[in-house]
Amino acid sequence: MTRNKAILSIAGSDPSGGAGIQADIKTLTVLGVYGAAAVTCLTAQNTRGVRAILPVAPDFVREQIEAVLADLPVTHIKIGMLGTGEIARAVGSALDGFAGEVVCDPVLTASDGHALLANEALADFFAHVLAKSTVLTPNIPELERISSTPCSTEEGILAAAEKILKEFPNLRAVVATGGHLDPQRQTIADFLCLRSLRQGVVARKAEHPRIRTANTHGTGCTFASAFAACHLLTGDYEPAFFKTVGFMDSLLRKSAALPMGHGNGPLAHHACSAPEP
Ligand code: PLP
């Protein structure tokens, strides 16, 4: 029975509905999972870019999380934009005592280049949030930044993931999405790097055709939320990974020609129907 379990998204708000908590809640809903949300920052943005960011008071971010955890049957927390080091610390302290999965999408910059985590906040993000997470879902630029390892090849990606798993012993899996690797390639590979007690790190690869579209705003948020939902539904990392990759492929296809806004368009979550439970 998964209908009575909940996922809490801790993320920024995107009023245009493409990324952040809006993308997270839509994703969880179409996958048939109950979604709750604690807001870290308000942003003023549309498909053309981010205009302004208003961080929520860190104590109030913690209060939102504590209120939800005190009441709802939350088995998974998904973390997105944090904005500042103070908010990262507040989120970290609210995670203390939470025994479920913590899926962390390392939101560092928006596609227009706007910083969504202040540079000086990286150390707080590592010490207070990443150190308490169980799953990390970076894209290639995020993986390179977090691991300080070049990731232009498959070997580089796996070495970077392995390095992160060594540095953050609470992490059980790094799920790296390969869309940023060589834009000329027709095929994209995503990777699941899993900590294994007997074999060190085990890697799984999922290949799928590249879908040429400008509608990619919120794909990172959607992928991480879908992974959390698929993990809740399947109870394991490997089936969750392959289910998530399949869901993203189908969602990107449905979204490819959606005319919404004048810039980097959103995904068409509303064109999905819920899979069989
Ligand atoms: N979270 C918020 C609130 C955002 O505004 C953005 C991007 O603009 C993101 C996360 C990251 O979006 P993506 O999923 O495209 O990486």
Side-chain angles (χ1 to χ4, degrees):
M1 178 66 174
T2 51
R3 288 271 190 252
N4 67 338
K5 293 180 180 164
I7 295 184
L8 168 62
S9 159
I10 302 173
S13 161
D14 169 3
S16 70
I21 51 164
Q22 288 81 354
D24 295 343
I25 296 292
K26 290 180 197 180
T27 305
L28 299 176
T29 303
V30 299
L31 286 168
V33 172
Y34 185 90
V39 182
T40 56
C41 294
L42 301 178
T43 72
Q45 66 174 299
N46 56 30
T47 63
R48 287 177 156 145
V50 177
R51 298 180 179 193
I53 294 174
L54 181 63
V56 173
D59 280 349
F60 197 76
V61 174
R62 194 175 55 230
E63 192 136 3
Q64 293 175 70
I65 300 167
E66 287 173 355
V68 174
L69 294 182
D71 186 39
L72 271 61
V74 175
T75 56
H76 293 61
I77 290 178
K78 180 259 161 184
I79 297 176
M81 175 185 180
L82 293 164
T84 69
E86 291 75 20
I87 293 176
R89 286 206 294 274
V91 168
S93 86
L95 291 177
D96 283 338
F98 178 73
E101 291 290 331
V102 179
V103 178
C104 178
D105 178 25
V107 176
L108 304 178
T109 50
S111 24
D112 67 352
H114 214 104
L116 298 180
L117 182 73
N119 261 333
E120 61 278 12
L122 212 55
D124 280 323
F125 168 62
F126 286 167
H128 299 279
V129 176
L130 194 45
K132 293 175 182 171
S133 300
T134 56
V135 179
L136 179 69
T137 63
N139 60 28
I140 300 297
E142 292 160 351
L143 183 63
E144 287 190 327
R145 184 122 175 253
I146 294 169
S147 65
S148 306
T149 303
C151 296
S152 54
T153 61
E154 264 184 50
E155 294 71 34
I157 292 170
L158 298 180
E162 212 162 310
K163 186 174 175 201
I164 293 172
L165 285 167
K166 270 207 189 98
E167 278 173 25
F168 295 92
N170 205 52
L171 277 178
R172 295 174 200 149
V174 173
V175 187
T177 52
H180 292 78
L181 197 65
D182 186 1
Q184 300 314 319
R185 273 175 59 171
Q186 301 296 322
T187 306
I188 291 178
D190 299 324
F191 299 89
L192 167 72
C193 300
L194 206 51
R195 190 190 299 283
S196 150
L197 282 181
R198 268 183 264 141
Q199 295 154 275
V201 175
V202 172
R204 295 282 177 268
K205 177 168 148 181
E207 285 188 299
H208 46 99
R210 182 183 293 280
I211 296 153
R212 305 250 169 225
T213 172
N215 292 346
T216 55
H217 180 50
T219 45
C221 306
T222 298
F223 185 96
S225 295
F227 187 86
C230 292
H231 186 273
L232 187 155
L233 294 168
T234 64
D236 204 355
Y237 299 102
E238 197 168 324
F241 170 64
F242 288 106
K243 224 171 151 60
T244 302
V245 171
F247 169 74
M248 291 305 296
D249 182 60
S250 144
L251 177 55
L252 277 156
R253 279 174 205 282
K254 286 181 180 134
S255 313
L258 176 75
M260 191 68 77
H262 300 87
N264 187 212
L267 298 172
H269 300 86
H270 57 300
C272 295
S273 55
E276 291 301 309

